[in-house]
Amino acid sequence: MTTAEFGTHNWGMVVDVDKCIGCNACVIACQAENNIPINTQDRVERARSISWIRVERYWEGDFPDAKARFIPIMCQHCENAPCEPVCPVYATYHNSEGLNVQVYNRCVGTRYCANGCPYIVRFFNYWEPVWPESLRNHLNPDVTVRSRGIMEKCSFCVHRIRRESRNARSAGVEIADGAVQTACSSACPTSALNFGNFNDPDSKVSKMKDDKRHYTLLDQFGTDPNVIYLAKIDADKKISAGEAATHG
Amino acid sequence: MKLNRREFLALTGKTAVGAVIFAACGLPERELIVQSPVDLPEDLVRGEDAWYATSMGDFSNGDGVLVRVMEGRAKKIEGNPDHPITRGKATARYDAVLQLLYHPDRISSPQLRYSKAGNLSNISWDQAEALFTEALNDANGALTVVTNPLRGHLGSVASKFAAQYNGKHMAFDPVEQGVLHGAVKSVLGQDQLPTFDISNAQTVLSFGADWLGTWGSPTQFGVKYGEFREQHDRGYMIHAEPRMSLTAAAADLWLAPVPGTEGHLALGIASVIIDAGLVSASNVAAFEAAIPGGVSNVSLSDVAARTGVDAERITKAAKHFAEHTPSVAFGGGSAGAHTNGSFNLGAIYALNILVGAVDSKGGVTSNPGSAIDDIPATATGASFEAWEQEIANWRAGNVETVIIRGADIVHGMPNSVAIREALGNVPNVIAFGAIHDDTMDFADLILPEETFLESWGTEIPEPGPGYQVVGTQQPVVGPTISRDESGLTSDARGFGDTLLAMSDGSYGRDMESLVRGALSDLHSTGRGSVSASTSSLFTNGALQRGGWWDTNNNGSSSVGKIATSAQSANYSETGSLGEGNDFHLVPFLSNSLLDGRLAAAPWAQQTPDPISSASWSTWGEINSIQADELGIKEGDVLLIRSTSGEIEVLAYPHPGVRPGVIGIPMGQGHLRSGRYAEERGSNVLSILVDEKDSQTGALAWAATRVRIQRAGKRVKVPKFEGDVVARPVEPGVPVLVVGIGETASDVQTANHHLYQEQFLGEGKESGDHE
C-alpha cells in the first residue's frame, strides 16, 4: 500500500454526450455544492447568471425531423489554459493534479481570464451574493462564498478531492477509482458525466477517453483540455467515414 | 430505543461484528450513521459531515436519498447508492427541497382565521389542537381528509384517521394517474404500476410519458437509460408525443401524433407488425384477444391520416419494435389524458403482448404487493368525476370539516369546479403545510408541517424495481433555530403525528413507533436485504441503509383485455372564444417545479427548462414555422383562452412542436407560495375544461382546445439560451454527431471538408459578383 501523494493524479472528466438527456441535475447539484448565488430573474434576463456547469441545447432540422442536442459545458481545466498567463496576480494557475485553480483572495477582478477563455466558463461576481438569512443554513461550509468583484468557475469540486485525499492518506491507501465524484457527476442519472484520474490507466475515465468517439472542444486552439467529450450518436445518420476518406 | 453512532458502533462491536448483514454490496462508510441527529454530538463537530439515508417524501415516487448534514444543518441531497431505485443518482429537483426546509417564508406557528374573510393570527399548538378537536367533533362524520396520493404509513394513517371519524380520505393529483392504473390493471392484471426493463431492452417504445423528466420514477429510468445506451448495439428508442419533451429529445425516432390519437398509433404499429408477419401466430392471437375487435379494421393509411404521422415513420417504428427485441412499450402522461385515455393506454400496453414482452427480460415486469400488511403500495388521485361530486357536496354545505395536506387544490383544480366558492361553504377548513399556498387562503386553521427531512415515515416506490421495497424516512435534522437564536424558525409538527395525536390510538401512537414496528415485523419475516440477530439491530440496519428490500419477492402478470371504451378523442369547443387561432393545449409538468409543489424553491425556479431554457416564467411552445405564418415572435405575450378561462404566456416558438399544438408548463401562477413564486407566471391548470376519460372519469387534462391571440406586447423571455455564444466544435457544428460505428475523427474531417467546400463555394460566388 502506498500513501496518496499530490502529483500522482491527473483529474479529468469524460462527458458522454450520447447519454446526456439535458435534465439539469448536474446544474443544480453544482449550484448547491458550491454556494453559487441564486440566479434571479433579473440576472437571467441580463445574461449575468452564474452557472459553473451549463447544459447547452441546440436544434437541428425542422418539424417533424427536429432534433434537440444537449451538451454539458464546464471549465475544461486546460493544460494550456489561455486564462492562466493573462492573470496579473496569479489568481488562476495550473496545479500538479491537472486542475485549473482559482485563488479567490488573490483575484482583483480584471476579468482578463474571462476574456481569454474560449469556452465562456468563467463568471464575474457583479454583485455581492445575497441569501435570505434562513437560506444560509444550506450553504456548504467546505466552499468559500465569493464576494463581489472576483471571478469564479468550476473547481472540479476540489474540496471533495482534498477530503478524499486526506482520508486516503490517513488510512494509508490510494484513492480508489470512483471514490472522488464531483457534485455533477455524482448527480448525473445516466452517467453521462464521469470523473476520475487520467494517470491511472485502469480508471474508468482512462478507458472511456480512448473511445473512438472522443474529441475535445475547440481542439484547434490547442488548449489541451482535461475534459474529454464522446460524440453524440445518431443511429439514423449516414456514415461519413467513406466521404472523409475520399476527401482525405 | 435511540442510538447514536458511537453507541451503535460500540454495540455492534461488542455483541457480534456483522450481526447486521446487508445483502449486495458493502455498506459505504459514510452511511454508518443511525437516525436521531437531534441528539448526535457528531452533528455539531465542525468540519465533520454525517450522511443520513432517507426517502424523498412528496417530491418523488419513493426515491431513496442520502442527506449530508453538518453542524445540524442539511447541506446536500444525493441519491442513495444502495437504494434500488436511485442507485446513487439524482434529479434536478433533489437539492431544491433544501430550500423548502430553510425557506424564509416557512409558516412559523399555527394560525387561525377568526372569520372567513378575516386575517390570520398566530396561536399556540394547544389552542390549535383544541380547535382541531372541536372541528372533528362538529363534523360528526361530515369530514373529508384531502392529501396528495400517499403510499406507506402516512397514507395508511390518513385513511384510518378519516375512517375513525366516519369521514373519507380523498387524494388529489392534478395529473391524475387513474387512467394509467386502470389500463395496467386491465391489460396486465396488476394493481401496482409495473417496472420496465429498459436496461436490457433493445427497443423502447414510449407514448406521452416524459419518463426521463417527470413521469413515474425518472431517477430509476435515467439510470436504466444510461445502461440501455451502454449495450453493445446501444439500443433504439422511439417516443411519441405531440411536443418534444426531454424524453422525446433523447429518442432516436420522435413521432408527433395529433393529441389523443396515441392509441390509434399503437394499433397502426401493431397492424404493420402483424401484416408483415414479424411476430409469432400465438403472440398475434394473444394480442387480438386483448384488443376488442383486434386490428382487422385498422389500415396504415387511415392511421397515418388520423394521427398525422406519416406511414413511413409508423412502419419504421413498427419494424424496429418487432425486429430488435427484447422490446418494451409503455405510455402515460398526455397520452392517457384524453376522453379516450383508457383506450390509448390499453392499446399501448397491449403492444407488449404482441412482442412477448410481458414478464420477460427487457420487457415489462410486474411489481409485487406491499411487504407490510395494510400499507398501500400504490396510490393515485381520486377521479375528477369523484372530485366534482365531492366539491358539489362542499358547495351545498354537506361537509363540515375538510383537512387538507400536500394538495394545493385551489391551484390545481380547473376554474370550472369553482373550488374557491365551495371551500367558502365548508365551516372548518384545516390546512397543513410548510409554506403558505393558494389553498390556505381559504383555511380557517393553518398548521405548520414538518418537511420530509424532519419527520418519520415509510415509502414504497412506485413503480418499484420489480421486487418488494420498503424505503424508510427519518428526521435528518432537528427543528431549525433562527440565526439570532430568538426561537424556532418553524414550530412545525408532522402531519402523521398530528393525526395520531388526535386519534383513538388504535392504529398507532406516533409515526416513529409505526415505522419501527413495521421494521420489526419485517425482521420477523427473516428475509430481505438486512439480516440481524435482534429486531433493534435490524431496525438500525434498515435505517442506515435507507430501507429494506427483498430481491427474491417478485410479482407476476395476468394478461387480460382492454376494457371497451371510446376510441376517438373529444376536445373542448372554441367557437365562442372570440378572435384568434385554435390550438390543442398540451400542458406538461415542469422539469424543476413539477405541478408547482417546488415553485417556492428559488433553485427550482431558476433551473432552465431543458427544451426552452426558460426559467422564472410561463411560456407557450408553438411550432416555429407556424409561428412565422401567424406573425408570432419569441416573447410575444399570448392570450390563451379556453371555455374555462384565460391566461397569459410568453411565446416561445421552436421546431419541436407539432403544428396546431401549444405546450405550456405547469407549476407557476401561484397567488401564494412564498416570495419566489407569488404572482409569477400563469397557472395553465386553471383553464382546463371538464372533459373526462370516458371509462374512469379522470380529468382529460390534454383535451382542452384553446384560442390564442397576441396581446399586443412583447417582453424578454427569461431564458438561458443566448447567454453565451455557441462555441462550435467545427464551424456550424455545436454538437458533434456520429453514426453507428463512426469515429469522431472521421466526422470532424468530413465536417472540415464540408465547411471548406461551402466556404470556397461562397468565395467563388462572391468573386463572380465582383
Side-chain angles (χ1 to χ4, degrees):
Chain A
M1 280 186 189
T2 58
T3 302
E5 294 290 343
F6 287 169
T8 60
H9 299 95
N10 180 21
W11 300 107
M13 186 168 280
V14 177
V15 181
D16 189 344
V17 181
D18 194 42
K19 285 187 183 175
C20 178
I21 55 172
C23 68
N24 278 281
C26 53
V27 175
I28 293 302
C30 174
Q31 197 92 16
E33 178 77 14
N34 291 298
N35 299 335
I36 296 172
I38 295 166
N39 289 320
T40 59
Q41 180 173 350
D42 174 59
R43 292 184 185 199
V44 172
E45 287 173 346
R46 295 163 76 172
R48 291 282 187 253
S49 55
I50 295 178
S51 197
W52 288 8
I53 181 171
R54 62 177 182 262
V55 181
E56 297 184 356
R57 189 268 299 122
Y58 295 95
W59 290 109
E60 271 183 36
D62 277 318
F63 182 86
D65 299 313
K67 292 186 174 177
R69 307 284 196 205
F70 300 104
I71 184 167
I73 294 181
M74 71 299 286
C75 173
Q76 304 288 296
H77 293 270
C78 312
E79 291 295 320
N80 299 320
C83 57
E84 292 170 5
V86 297
C87 180
V89 294
Y90 302 102
T92 183
Y93 71 100
H94 211 77
N95 80 0
S96 60
E97 294 189 313
L99 303 185
N100 175 269
V101 186
Q102 181 76 15
V103 184
Y104 301 127
N105 58 5
R106 282 186 192 164
C107 180
V108 294
T110 64
R111 288 181 273 162
Y112 294 165
C113 56
N115 290 338
C117 173
Y119 304 102
I120 317 181
V121 289
R122 292 179 152 268
F123 300 91
F124 185 67
N125 281 274
Y126 286 89
W127 300 279
E128 194 68 26
V130 176
W131 288 269
E133 201 59 30
S134 62
L135 282 183
R136 298 182 74 86
N137 281 309
H138 68 50
L139 294 180
N140 183 354
D142 293 345
V143 179
T144 308
V145 172
R146 286 75 56 188
S147 58
R148 183 174 73 88
I150 63 167
M151 269 297 171
E152 62 179 76
K153 62 158 202 86
C154 162
S155 67
F156 266 172
C157 288
V158 64
H159 54 285
R160 290 188 175 210
I161 296 174
R162 293 289 169 263
R163 186 178 284 267
E164 284 303 325
S165 297
R166 279 199 308 273
N167 290 343
R169 193 182 297 126
S170 63
V173 297
E174 291 187 351
I175 301 173
D177 184 33
V180 180
Q181 285 299 315
T182 56
C184 57
S185 64
S186 174
C188 181
T190 63
S191 298
L193 301 174
N194 301 273
F195 186 74
N197 178 14
F198 283 140
N199 274 355
D200 175 5
D202 296 324
S203 71
K204 184 181 179 189
V205 290
S206 289
K207 290 172 182 165
M208 288 182 78
K209 78 171 185 175
D210 291 332
D211 189 289
K212 61 189 176 186
R213 292 185 287 125
H214 80 272
Y215 70 101
T216 53
L217 293 184
L218 300 175
D219 187 47
Q220 65 271 30
F221 291 168
T223 54
D224 193 11
N226 273 320
V227 177
I228 309 294
Y229 286 82
L230 304 185
K232 170 78 181 170
I233 298 174
D234 187 334
D236 295 326
K237 181 177 184 280
K238 288 180 183 170
I239 305 295
S240 60
E243 290 175 42
T246 56
H247 284 301
Chain B
M1 180 176 99
K2 286 187 178 179
L3 287 177
N4 67 27
R5 180 170 72 159
R6 194 163 293 128
E7 289 166 345
F8 171 69
L9 291 174
L11 191 63
T12 52
K14 283 175 187 167
T15 53
V17 174
V20 182
I21 301 168
F22 301 99
C25 58
L27 189 69
E29 191 276 336
R30 67 180 186 177
E31 285 177 70
L32 272 173
I33 311 282
V34 191
Q35 57 80 33
S36 195
V38 186
D39 305 329
L40 281 177
E42 285 87 339
D43 279 346
L44 302 175
V45 176
R46 290 183 187 278
E48 287 296 318
D49 57 3
W51 292 79
Y52 298 99
T54 191
S55 297
M56 274 293 283
D58 301 330
F59 302 98
S60 75
N61 280 7
D63 290 5
V65 293
L66 296 180
V67 184
R68 184 186 189 217
V69 175
M70 291 185 82
E71 298 170 29
R73 299 286 178 266
K75 303 292 181 183
K76 190 83 175 62
I77 301 179
E78 298 191 349
N80 179 350
D82 287 339
H83 197 277
I85 297 296
T86 48
R87 292 196 269 164
K89 297 303 183 179
T91 71
R93 299 177 285 275
Y94 282 9
D95 285 314
V97 177
L98 292 173
Q99 297 191 312
L100 302 186
L101 173 67
Y102 296 125
H103 200 285
D105 300 323
R106 268 195 79 166
I107 300 167
S108 60
S109 68
Q111 296 174 323
L112 174 67
R113 198 186 305 278
Y114 285 98
S115 66
K116 282 290 179 190
N119 293 324
L120 289 166
S121 304
N122 288 345
I123 57 173
S124 69
W125 266 103
D126 286 344
Q127 290 171 295
E129 284 178 334
L131 291 165
F132 198 155
T133 304
E134 194 179 319
L136 291 171
N137 293 335
D138 288 351
N140 194 24
L143 166 76
T144 306
V145 178
V146 179
T147 67
N148 53 325
L150 293 171
R151 296 176 299 277
H153 279 86
L154 199 54
S156 168
V157 166
S159 296
K160 288 175 179 171
F161 181 84
Q164 180 198 326
Y165 286 95
N166 299 317
K168 68 171 94 164
H169 174 207
M170 289 184 76
F172 174 69
D173 182 359
V175 285
E176 57 183 278
Q177 306 292 316
V179 178
L180 173 65
H181 283 261
V184 164
K185 179 70 178 171
S186 60
V187 177
L188 302 172
Q190 299 172 13
D191 293 316
Q192 287 77 229
L193 295 183
T195 194
F196 313 110
D197 191 5
I198 296 163
S199 309
N200 293 302
Q202 291 293 304
T203 306
V204 173
L205 173 59
S206 50
F207 298 73
D210 182 13
W211 51 276
L212 286 171
T214 57
W215 184 83
S217 183
T219 316
Q220 176 188 177
F221 297 150
V223 174
K224 288 180 172 178
Y225 175 82
E227 293 168 342
F228 171 72
R229 289 304 193 200
E230 273 176 17
Q231 294 179 108
H232 176 65
D233 59 357
R234 185 179 169 270
Y236 194 84
M237 179 181 156
I238 305 158
H239 185 72
E241 198 175 357
R243 161 201 172 260
M244 183 174 282
S245 61
L246 190 150
T247 303
D252 298 292
L253 178 62
W254 173 46
L255 309 175
V258 171
T261 64
E262 291 84 353
H264 293 280
L265 182 59
L267 292 189
I269 287 170
S271 75
V272 171
I273 293 170
I274 293 169
D275 291 348
L278 300 178
V279 292
S280 69
S282 60
N283 282 4
V284 173
F287 175 76
E288 292 189 330
I291 300 288
V295 292
S296 54
N297 295 325
V298 176
S299 85
L300 184 56
S301 57
D302 286 349
V303 170
R306 184 192 282 258
T307 61
V309 179
D310 68 52
E312 189 184 341
R313 279 173 184 268
I314 297 173
T315 304
K316 183 177 179 178
K319 288 190 171 175
H320 249 290
F321 183 63
E323 290 177 343
H324 297 85
T325 54
S327 300
V328 62
F330 54 93
S334 64
H338 288 276
T339 58
N340 62 341
S342 290
F343 161 71
N344 287 340
L345 296 191
I348 290 163
Y349 280 89
L351 286 173
N352 292 298
I353 300 169
L354 189 60
V355 294
V358 178
D359 288 343
S360 68
K361 186 178 180 182
V364 56
T365 52
S366 65
N367 274 301
S370 173
I372 308 172
D373 290 343
D374 277 350
I375 299 302
T378 182
T380 182
S383 73
F384 185 64
E385 197 168 71
W387 271 111
E388 283 184 322
Q389 291 166 7
E390 177 66 18
I391 291 167
N393 276 332
W394 295 2
R395 194 177 301 113
N398 296 333
V399 176
E400 184 72 19
T401 299
V402 173
I403 299 167
I404 306 170
R405 181 267 169 197
D408 189 356
I409 52 177
V410 168
H411 181 267
M413 291 274 186
N415 289 339
S416 59
V417 300
I419 183 75
R420 292 171 178 82
E421 292 78 358
L423 274 173
N425 284 349
V426 177
N428 302 308
V429 178
I430 301 169
F432 285 79
I435 296 165
H436 198 106
D437 63 20
D438 293 6
T439 302
M440 289 179 182
D441 272 358
F442 299 87
D444 305 286
L445 180 62
I446 295 175
L447 301 175
E449 188 190 353
E450 291 172 338
T451 68
F452 74 89
L453 296 168
E454 301 162 298
S455 55
W456 286 92
T458 51
E459 182 63 79
I460 298 179
E462 188 178 32
Y467 48 86
Q468 285 183 327
V469 175
V470 177
T472 50
Q473 177 191 309
Q474 58 177 328
V476 301
V477 290
T480 306
I481 298 168
S482 63
R483 290 176 73 89
D484 62 4
E485 299 186 346
S486 59
L488 298 179
T489 55
S490 177
D491 185 13
R493 295 184 184 177
F495 174 66
D497 285 335
T498 308
L499 293 193
L500 288 169
M502 297 283 167
S503 74
D504 58 12
S506 62
Y507 43 93
R509 188 178 73 249
D510 54 41
M511 291 299 291
E512 179 178 356
S513 61
L514 283 178
V515 172
R516 289 183 178 277
L519 291 174
S520 178
D521 290 346
L522 285 175
H523 174 244
S524 64
T525 65
R527 59 187 176 89
S529 57
V530 183
S531 299
S533 52
T534 68
S535 173
S536 170
L537 284 173
F538 177 94
T539 299
N540 286 334
L543 290 171
Q544 281 177 265
R545 202 68 183 276
W548 168 99
W549 33 92
D550 182 0
T551 54
N552 295 320
N553 198 303
N554 317 110
S556 62
S557 298
S558 171
V559 172
K561 185 172 187 171
I562 76 170
T564 306
S565 59
Q567 294 199 0
S568 296
N570 295 325
Y571 311 104
S572 62
E573 297 292 333
T574 56
S576 61
L577 296 177
E579 288 184 22
N581 302 91
D582 286 358
F583 278 74
H584 283 282
L585 172 61
V586 178
F588 60 92
L589 287 167
S590 159
N591 186 53
S592 54
L593 310 176
L594 295 174
D595 55 6
R597 75 190 85 157
L598 275 169
W603 280 337
Q605 286 281 355
Q606 69 164 61
T607 305
D609 176 75
I611 298 299
S612 69
S613 81
S615 56
W616 295 103
S617 59
T618 303
W619 63 95
E621 300 178 14
I622 55 175
N623 181 271
S624 42
I625 292 173
Q626 188 176 23
D628 277 348
E629 291 167 358
L630 298 175
I632 295 172
K633 308 282 188 201
E634 182 181 308
D636 277 349
V637 177
L638 300 178
L639 300 174
I640 311 294
R641 215 175 286 134
S642 78
T643 51
S644 200
E646 176 182 293
I647 58 171
E648 287 187 357
V649 302
L650 307 180
Y652 185 81
H654 67 70
V657 195
R658 181 179 179 79
V661 166
I662 182 164
I664 299 179
M666 302 176 204
Q668 299 281 25
H670 297 267
L671 291 174
R672 297 286 178 267
S673 262
R675 67 189 68 181
Y676 300 103
E678 284 175 5
E679 299 185 1
R680 179 178 295 288
S682 298
N683 179 13
V684 68
L685 297 170
S686 67
I687 64 166
L688 299 181
V689 297
D690 54 0
E691 296 279 354
K692 303 177 198 67
D693 172 53
S694 60
Q695 188 164 320
T696 61
L699 179 67
W701 51 264
T704 300
R705 280 182 66 82
V706 294
R707 188 155 283 182
I708 73 170
Q709 186 183 8
R710 279 181 292 167
K713 54 184 175 181
R714 183 177 300 158
V715 298
K716 186 176 174 62
V717 177
K719 61 174 182 139
F720 167 71
E721 183 182 41
D723 267 17
V724 292
V725 180
R727 286 294 190 254
V729 192
E730 286 284 328
V733 184
V735 179
L736 196 67
V737 179
V738 300
I740 298 282
E742 203 173 25
T743 70
S745 175
D746 289 341
V747 178
Q748 284 180 305
T749 306
N751 285 337
H752 184 62
H753 285 292
L754 188 63
Y755 173 70
Q756 282 190 318
E757 272 183 12
Q758 289 173 346
F759 179 75
L760 292 174
E762 284 172 15
K764 197 182 274 182
E765 274 181 22
S766 170
D768 291 344
H769 285 299
E770 285 174 4

